[in-house]
Amino acid sequence: MACKSIITHIEAQAARLIDRCDKLEAECDRLRQERDRLCAEMRGQQERAHELQSEVQRLRLAEGLSGTTTDRAKSQARINLLLREVDKCIALLAKAES
């Protein structure tokens, strides 16, 4: 009789462990889905932040071109720097093609 009681007890513990394992697997799946959703949301927020930074730069440039003389000089210098960088890139591409 004692052996039967021990076996019944072990079977009950095994059933509880299996149930707990199933619950933990379900929780793990739910957490993975939540992680994936949050990662996607974070990428979207990062893209939005990048777009807003670009917009701020464009607005500063536009304001600089229509602002005071010192602002215009800074904006013109920035434009010239960007044009030189573009020219360098074009030269490198031309050199790579030949």
Side-chain angles (χ1 to χ4, degrees):
M1 185 79 170
C3 289
K4 188 173 183 181
S5 174
I6 292 172
I7 291 172
T8 304
H9 180 71
I10 291 173
E11 286 175 343
Q13 284 181 335
R16 282 194 300 271
L17 286 173
I18 290 170
D19 184 52
R20 179 72 176 144
C21 182
D22 290 342
K23 288 179 182 177
L24 288 172
E25 285 176 348
E27 178 71 6
C28 188
D29 289 341
R30 185 190 67 76
L31 290 172
R32 280 189 190 111
Q33 289 173 352
E34 177 75 6
R35 180 203 60 202
D36 293 343
R37 184 189 64 77
L38 290 171
C39 285
E41 184 178 328
M42 183 179 68
R43 281 190 299 274
Q45 293 295 331
Q46 287 172 337
E47 289 174 9
R48 178 73 176 136
H50 181 69
E51 291 170 3
L52 290 173
Q53 287 173 344
S54 297
E55 180 67 19
V56 166
Q57 287 178 342
R58 284 191 297 274
L59 290 172
R60 284 183 181 159
L61 180 61
E63 183 181 314
L65 291 174
S66 65
T68 64
T69 305
T70 57
D71 289 339
R72 280 191 204 148
K74 286 181 185 178
S75 296
Q76 189 63 41
R78 176 77 174 138
I79 290 170
N80 288 339
L81 176 66
L82 292 172
L83 287 174
R84 283 193 297 275
E85 287 180 22
V86 168
D87 288 340
K88 286 179 187 177
C89 290
I90 292 170
L92 287 173
L93 287 172
K95 185 177 181 180
E97 289 178 358
S98 42

